[in-house]
Amino acid sequence: MSLSQLLQDPPYEFEQQDKQRAYEQVMICLSDTADNKLKDICSNLSTDQQDTLMRYLYKGLESCENSLKLLKWHGALSEVAGLGCIMRVLSEKRKRVL
C-alpha cells in the first residue's frame, strides 16, 4: 500500500489495535523511502494528507525510533507544506489521535 493510500483515511475513530497497525504501516513506508524522493512524495499529497503525515511524524518522534529518518521527512514536509501544516496539527482544538 502506498503512503498516499495510508494517509487517505486515517483510523481516528477505531480501536487502538487498528491505530497501531496503521501507524506501523506508515512507519514502514516512511523508513523504506529513499531520501531523495521525500520532497516529491510530499508535494503529491493533499493538504489533509500532509497534515496526517505530520501527525504520524510527531507520533513517531515521541517514540524516538528512527528519529533521523523522521526528521528528514519532517524537513521535506515542512519545506513543501510550509509552517501552516505544523500550526494546524499543533493547534487543533479537537486532537486527532492516531
Side-chain angles (χ1 to χ4, degrees):
M1 191 175 277
S2 73
L3 181 62
S4 62
Q5 290 172 318
L6 292 170
L7 299 174
Q8 189 64 40
D9 191 24
Y12 294 124
E13 306 295 329
F14 292 83
E15 296 294 322
Q16 189 59 37
Q17 65 191 29
D18 295 329
K19 293 179 184 185
Q20 184 62 31
R21 189 172 24 257
Y23 168 77
E24 289 169 0
Q25 289 176 327
V26 170
M27 290 299 116
I28 289 168
C29 198
L30 296 180
S31 64
D32 288 347
T33 304
D35 292 347
N36 63 348
K37 296 184 178 185
L38 304 183
K39 194 172 171 183
D40 289 336
I41 292 170
C42 291
S43 296
N44 290 320
L45 298 174
S46 70
T47 301
D48 287 338
Q49 290 171 317
Q50 290 171 345
D51 290 355
T52 301
L53 176 56
M54 189 63 76
R55 286 183 199 94
Y56 276 118
L57 292 176
Y58 285 137
K59 180 175 178 155
L61 288 168
E62 285 177 359
S63 70
C64 297
E65 291 180 33
N66 207 1
S67 299
L68 181 58
K69 186 68 169 192
L70 296 180
L71 287 172
K72 289 179 182 180
W73 271 101
H74 188 277
L77 181 57
S78 298
E79 189 175 333
V80 169
L83 295 177
C85 180
I86 296 170
M87 295 306 297
R88 283 189 299 277
V89 170
L90 294 180
S91 66
E92 289 179 321
K93 292 186 189 267
R94 187 185 127 228
K95 293 285 184 183
R96 293 185 182 184
V97 180
L98 293 170

